[in-house]
Every structure is written in structure tokens, then in C-alpha cells.
Amino acid sequence: MSALLAAAALSAVPTLVGKPAPDFALRSMDGKNRRLSEFRGQVVLVNFWARWAGDSRQEMPALDRINTTYNRAGLVVLGVSVDEDWRRAREFADAMKVGYPILFDTTADIGRNYLLRKMPMTILVDRSGVVRYSSAGFKSGDELAYLDEIRELLRE
Amino acid sequence: MNSKSRVVSTVMRSTILALAWTMGPCTFAAAAPAAAAPPPPAAPAPAAAAPKADAATAAEEPPAPGTPVTDSAPAEFKTLDQEVQGMKKEVIDLNKDLFVLQEELLFPANTQVAVYVSMDVGAFFALDSVTLKIDNKEVKNYLYTAREAEALLKGGVQEIYLGNLKVGKHELVAFFTGKGPVERGYKRGATITFDKGVGAKYLELKITDRVSKHQPEFKIKDWD
């Protein structure tokens, strides 16, 4: 009974999987503006993170390794900070030394469109701009699940 | 025809099409009028030269390998295919009609206000973002990527805002941010007060270079 209730609760969680990824344009740490729709034709991993979410600190180095390996195969990794204070978010990102672009969603508008419910949150968008995978929170080993999905999407 | 009756007729057409679509191609063939049946093939089939009884027997037996299939099935398939293609075209046309209708209903011409952005030369200004305020209310904040700014420099015109306004006097304020001469941060505003009449209103935000002053210039043009 409790399993059924849990399954019902899970199915009730709104998700964007199977739907077109809401487009956004955000300012990035290097000063350039980046728009999601301009990466159409590539597989995009969007990672929403926050300074105050401890798991972000673990996840970002894992994502950096994925980016280094699969970037040439057509994967784009975008880190989106949902911190209101972009300066402190910038300091945090600087300390993490990741090679992928870090964007700032200071108004949390984009986060709302992506139905963020737990931080960090990782979304995979396929080459045609459709959300194919969504994962809330992070624990060590989750990056293997990301890799499986990424490899499949890159093969399409 | 007014908008309401157009909507009703379009919805009815789409319902009929959707029903026909779900019934499948076989139903189309059965429902197709006799006149729509394809004419018999002009060139007689090899079996047709044989006596009638032989032809009938041949029709019952499966054709030998390599023998051209001469019965009417391919022609029927061809007709079905044409019908399906026709339906697809109709669906596309209908989609187009619905889109136009939606635009007309959401932004009726008598209340419509459209704002466009254009850029000329751009030697003294690299566009980063535009914020629009109408009657002191922010209606749009648009961030430009390098690719979008380049498209504007190449002569592109962007529809940045489409909305509705009542007839009367209104004020539009546009703030442009970017990099000015000598790569310095640059923020400028332009204001226009315009009269919204019964028809649609078109406004253009123009960014040009003022060569004599080595400065960019921001203007709002009212296309009456």
C-alpha cells in the first residue's frame, strides 16, 4: 500500500520530460549572453545549482569531467546559478574551477519555468530541444546515470 | 465573414479532418465516390491479351516471380496516397489559418502595438540588452547573444514586443545597454509619446552611429 502511495506521489510530481525545453537567455560568468535555443542540434546538460546546496559542491566536479570528455562529441554543459547574489555565486564558481559556462538566473524566473523542486537539479535536452531526462538532488554515483543518458542522446 | 464564424468553421473543419484521420485510409477508400476511382491503365497488361477465361484464372493465382503485378491494387494505393497527401496539405493549411486566427484574436489590429529593433553600422555600440517600459510598466527585457546582435548588424529587424493597448496617449521608454566607444559600459534611454488610434501601431527602435560625435544614437520611429 505504501509502495503504491509512493508511486502515486512520484507520478504526481510535475516534470518537463518529453516537453520542449523552455528557452532562456542568461548572462554568463565570462560576460557573454547565452541562449539555450542556440545550442539546437547539440545535446545540452543544464545543471541548476546554488551555493547553499551542499550537493552542488560534489556534483560540479563530476559534471566538469563529463564536459571535458564529451564536449567534442557534441555535448554542451551549462551551469545555471539560482543564487540571488550573483557576486557570491561567482566567487563560488571561481573556487570550483569548472570549465563549462556558468550562467546567472538571479530572478529565479528560469528556475520556475523548469519546475525546480530540489537543488541541484540536472536536465538533459536532446538535439531537437526536448527535455529527455531530469534528476533532482545529487548523490555520488548519479553521474553514471547521467553518462548513460548522455551516450544514448549523443548516438541519436 | 466575422472572426467568430471563422473560428466556428475552422473548428468544424478541423474536427471533420481529425475524425477522418482517426478512421484511417481504408475508410477513405470506401467512402471515396466512384468518380474518384482511377482510370484503368492505358497500356494493356500482358495477361489481358490472353482469352478471358485464362485471364480470370490468372487473376486467382498468385503472379509468378518477375511477372508485373497488373491488378488494380497499386492504382488504389496510389489514389490513397494522393488522398493522404491532400489531407496532410489541408492540415498544414488549417494550422496556418489557426495561427493567423490566434494572432488576430490575441492581438486584434485595433489594439495591437508592435515594437521592432533595428541596428545600423554599430561601430560605436555593441548591443547587450533592451528593456521596454510602456506607461511606466516594464513589458520586456531582452538579452542579446553575440549571434543575435550580429544578425541585427547584418540588417535583421527583430519584433521585440507585441501587445495590446487602449486607444489614447501612451509613453514608451526603451533602455539600451551594451558596450560603447572604447569598450566602455554604456546605457542610454529613448522615449516617445505616441497616440494609439483605432488601427495597429508600429514603433521601431533604431540604433545608429553618429559619426560626427563618435557616439551611437538611439531613436524611436513611429510608423504611422
Side-chain angles (χ1 to χ4, degrees):
Chain A
M1 185 68 182
S2 59
L4 270 175
L5 282 173
L10 269 180
S11 64
V13 173
T15 173
L16 281 177
V17 175
K19 293 176 188 161
D23 194 21
F24 59 79
L26 290 172
R27 206 175 297 283
S28 65
M29 211 158 96
D30 59 8
K32 289 179 187 165
N33 299 330
R34 285 182 166 87
R35 184 176 293 279
L36 178 69
S37 56
E38 288 188 358
F39 297 107
R40 193 68 57 89
Q42 288 169 284
V43 175
V44 186
L45 185 152
V46 187
N47 174 242
F48 293 93
W49 63 272
R51 239 172 351 104
W52 42 262
D55 293 339
S56 296
R57 199 178 286 275
Q58 282 185 53
E59 190 180 32
M60 286 168 86
L63 293 180
D64 197 35
R65 283 193 295 276
I66 292 175
N67 179 53
T68 313
T69 314
Y70 289 94
N71 184 260
R72 268 182 278 173
L75 175 74
V76 174
V77 177
L78 301 174
V80 180
S81 157
V82 296
D83 274 301
E84 281 175 29
D85 187 346
W86 67 270
R87 284 181 186 85
R88 294 187 70 183
R90 193 191 172 108
E91 280 167 20
F92 180 85
D94 266 336
M96 296 305 292
K97 291 191 170 51
V98 290
Y100 54 85
I102 297 291
L103 318 177
F104 301 105
D105 176 24
T106 48
T107 56
D109 286 344
I110 316 300
R112 261 193 295 278
N113 292 342
Y114 276 85
L115 314 172
L116 298 189
R117 58 185 191 278
K118 194 178 174 189
M119 293 304 288
M121 192 157 163
T122 299
I123 306 274
L124 276 170
V125 181
D126 71 10
R127 295 183 195 273
S128 58
V130 173
V131 175
R132 296 286 292 274
Y133 176 82
S134 165
S135 166
F138 180 81
K139 58 185 184 305
S140 184
D142 279 358
E143 68 272 26
L144 299 176
Y146 299 168
L147 278 176
D148 283 345
E149 298 289 335
I150 289 167
R151 286 193 195 112
E152 201 159 306
L153 291 179
L154 286 173
R155 269 199 295 269
E156 284 180 3
Chain B
M1 194 187 279
N2 63 23
S3 300
K4 219 180 224 175
S5 53
R6 277 179 68 191
V7 173
V8 171
S9 81
T10 317
V11 169
M12 277 177 72
R13 272 175 65 201
S14 61
T15 314
I16 292 163
L17 269 175
L19 274 173
W21 200 258
T22 47
M23 283 158 84
C26 295
T27 327
F28 297 154
K52 255 187 177 179
D54 290 351
T57 323
E60 281 170 17
E61 287 169 8
T67 313
V69 182
T70 55
D71 61 6
S72 58
E76 267 179 31
F77 282 136
K78 202 177 166 191
T79 321
L80 274 175
D81 190 46
Q82 281 169 352
E83 275 183 42
V84 169
Q85 290 302 325
M87 295 290 283
K88 279 184 182 170
K89 195 183 167 301
E90 223 170 308
V91 169
I92 291 166
D93 288 346
L94 204 64
N95 261 342
K96 195 176 69 188
D97 286 355
L98 282 171
F99 176 75
V100 172
L101 260 174
Q102 182 187 315
E103 287 282 297
E104 277 178 16
L105 291 171
L106 287 178
F107 307 108
N110 54 345
T111 59
Q112 190 184 91
V113 173
V115 183
Y116 299 88
V117 178
S118 72
M119 208 169 169
D120 194 18
V121 190
F124 303 119
F125 186 67
L127 184 61
D128 181 74
S129 71
V130 171
T131 304
L132 288 184
K133 278 186 176 182
I134 294 181
D135 299 331
N136 226 9
K137 186 183 167 203
E138 188 176 312
V139 291
K140 190 82 185 183
N141 184 16
Y142 197 92
L143 214 56
Y144 290 84
T145 63
R147 211 187 280 184
E148 286 170 322
E150 201 182 313
L152 285 176
L153 285 174
K154 282 181 179 168
V157 177
Q158 178 209 7
E159 184 187 84
I160 189 171
Y161 174 75
L162 182 66
N164 302 307
L165 278 183
K166 285 181 194 164
V167 170
K169 264 200 188 320
H170 298 277
E171 186 190 56
L172 169 78
V173 183
F175 295 102
F176 305 84
T177 57
K179 282 196 173 143
V182 217
E183 291 282 301
R184 259 199 248 156
Y186 207 92
K187 186 169 182 177
R188 286 288 182 279
T191 309
I192 189 172
T193 306
F194 60 93
D195 260 319
K196 172 76 183 68
V198 178
K201 172 65 81 182
Y202 302 105
L203 300 163
E204 183 186 356
L205 312 178
K206 292 179 79 163
I207 306 168
T208 51
D209 282 343
R210 204 172 192 180
V211 184
S212 58
K213 287 193 171 179
H214 287 257
Q215 290 288 325
E217 195 171 34
F218 305 91
K219 282 182 186 168
I220 305 179
K221 184 171 178 175
D222 186 348
W223 289 88
D224 285 319

